[in-house]
Amino acid sequence: MSRPPTFIPPSCARARALPTARGEFAVLDAAPSGTPRGTVLLVPGYTGSKEDFIALLEPLAEAGYRAVAVDGRGQFESAGSDDPGVYAQDELARDVLAQAAALDGGAVHLLGHSLGGQIGRAAVLLDATPFRSLTLMSSGPAEVVEAQQVKLKLLGDALATMTMDDVWAAMRAFDPPAEADTDGEDLLRRWLRHHPAQLIATGRQLATEPDRVAEVAAAGLPVHVVSGEADDVWPVPVIDEMAVRLGARRTRIEGAEHSPNTDRPQETAAALVAFWDGL
């Protein structure tokens, strides 16, 4: 999971509920001091939340962009359901379309991290008109690597039979010693508010996602593919190849792994702004 440097938003951002045609979603909404140059919708990955983008909010706002990071349905502070059907990828994609419409329909830069990238591209394939661009951050062309598929299966089985507290304790037992106590209280609070049905459903999506690169390329949006120098979810060469197939701008963030947004936020923000400014 991404480990935000803090769970406290910067002064330019406010935590609020975003009303949409598909219900309310918890967001961090960061505004620039003047007229925004554009609006950015930030969609988090598996086990993540809006806080995964917290270190990007101030540099994006300083560059003139309104940045809105969202908790998806069943993530952290957004409401969920026991019905697994509400977490089908098309349903989550329709949530993204509703969020974009509530923000600035027709003028939104969409960014998805990991799972969020695959949900974001599904939204674009349903309707590309609300978006000015699509950024796929550490998000690959199809299913995750086999080792991650095994982990997702183990986690899904555990979530079906164990409490969230017990699953958390089991996961933390495998953390490296340097990470075992890092932001543990905030990470636990976030974990306990995730809906198990959401984690089970989206974990299966990550393990079985088909290759939809050709469809995204045909949608005609400007695309930016961002990753770290290393990635244990989708190999970086696979992400490189996807970018070529998309005809996308390609950025590797030096010193970052699967979460450039938390590993190297300043460098990541600079790369994002350069892409959006270029449009």
Side-chain angles (χ1 to χ4, degrees), residues 36-129:
R37 303 181 65 183
T39 299
V40 183
L41 176 59
L42 304 163
V43 182
Y46 186 67
T47 75
S49 69
K50 59 191 180 301
E51 285 72 21
D52 290 348
F53 301 108
I54 212 162
L56 295 180
L57 298 179
E58 189 167 38
L60 294 184
E62 288 176 349
Y65 288 90
R66 180 188 180 194
V68 182
V70 63
D71 286 340
R73 184 178 302 274
Q75 284 183 319
F76 194 24
E77 295 179 319
S78 288
S81 167
D82 289 331
D83 177 8
V86 306
Y87 307 112
Q89 189 183 77
D90 276 3
E91 293 299 316
L92 299 178
R94 293 182 193 282
D95 287 346
V96 170
L97 290 171
Q99 292 154 11
L103 292 173
D104 193 6
V108 172
H109 295 291
L110 177 60
L111 182 151
H113 173 241
S114 194
L115 170 72
Q118 297 195 333
I119 294 170
R121 74 180 189 179
V124 166
L125 294 176
L126 285 175
D127 183 5
T129 57

Side-chain angles (χ1 to χ4, degrees), residues 177-201:
E179 296 181 359
D181 296 319
T182 304
D183 295 324
E185 186 174 319
D186 286 329
L187 292 173
L188 174 58
R189 178 170 56 89
R190 175 173 72 175
W191 170 259
L192 292 176
R193 294 191 66 177
H194 274 64
H195 205 289
Q198 188 269 349
L199 293 169
I200 294 170

